[in-house]
Amino acid sequence: MKKVITYGTFDLLHKGHVRLLKRARELGDYLMVGLSSDEFNAEKGKKAYTSFEDRKYVLEAIRYVDKVVPESGWDQKIKDVQENNIDVFVMGDDWKGKFDFLKDYCEVVYLPRTEGISTSKIKKDLGIKDSDNWKA
């Protein structure tokens, strides 16, 4: 079985997220998603509109996703790849080159983003800042 992993916040889920998950799953037989915890987002200076629990619930309902695990820090990726026998690490191409250190452990693939849509754009259009204390 070929295992694939990707990471993200997956806030305000949209077509671009689903396309990324679909294309990631097409690279293997099993897709694991590392979902940024609310605490980790705070470390990054971000605030998700939707709670970790709600984002996890939605991701688990997507047919391309086999497992969702919390992402609690930057240094977690090597451990996740090794402990879960991951074959392919996938991220959007806006992160191109940032995770090449994982090539020592698995294949690294950067997928093109879906043009015209992003969580940042949605938040901007709605007047929501990452620092706002919004709750779903």
Side-chain angles (χ1 to χ4, degrees), residues 1-7 30-34 67-70 76-88 105-106:
M1 178 184 337
K2 191 172 184 180
K3 292 183 174 183
V4 180
I5 193 167
T6 191
Y7 291 83
Y30 181 91
L31 177 61
M32 184 170 150
V33 177
K67 183 176 183 180
V68 178
V69 297
Q76 173 178 336
K77 291 172 180 64
I78 292 173
K79 181 178 150 209
D80 284 349
V81 167
Q82 290 179 317
E83 289 182 359
N84 294 283
N85 299 311
I86 299 296
D87 300 292
V88 184
Y105 307 94
C106 63

Side-chain angles (χ1 to χ4, degrees), residues 8 10-11 15 22 27 29 33-35 38-39 41-42 57-58 65 68 78 80 92 96 114 117 130 136:
F10 296 96
D11 193 23
K15 179 181 177 179
K22 180 179 188 282
L27 295 172
D29 307 299
V33 177
L35 179 63
D38 294 332
E39 295 79 14
N41 278 333
Y57 181 86
V58 171
V65 176
V68 178
I78 292 173
D80 284 349
K96 193 165 189 145
T114 302
I117 186 75
D130 276 329

Side-chain angles (χ1 to χ4, degrees), residues 54-110:
D54 288 352
R55 290 181 284 120
K56 184 176 187 283
Y57 181 86
V58 171
L59 281 175
E60 289 174 337
I62 295 173
R63 66 180 172 191
Y64 310 115
V65 176
D66 293 292
K67 183 176 183 180
V68 178
V69 297
E71 180 189 24
S72 56
W74 291 110
D75 57 352
Q76 173 178 336
K77 291 172 180 64
I78 292 173
K79 181 178 150 209
D80 284 349
V81 167
Q82 290 179 317
E83 289 182 359
N84 294 283
N85 299 311
I86 299 296
D87 300 292
V88 184
F89 172 89
V90 175
M91 286 297 278
D93 64 2
D94 52 326
W95 290 94
K96 193 165 189 145
K98 301 264 199 278
F99 298 105
D100 286 354
F101 65 91
L102 289 170
K103 288 180 179 180
D104 291 339
Y105 307 94
C106 63
E107 180 183 357
V108 176
V109 176
Y110 298 100

Side-chain angles (χ1 to χ4, degrees), residues 11 35 38 48-56 134-136:
D11 193 23
L35 179 63
D38 294 332
Y49 179 82
T50 308
S51 71
F52 173 85
E53 292 79 15
D54 288 352
R55 290 181 284 120
K56 184 176 187 283
W134 290 93
K135 290 286 180 201

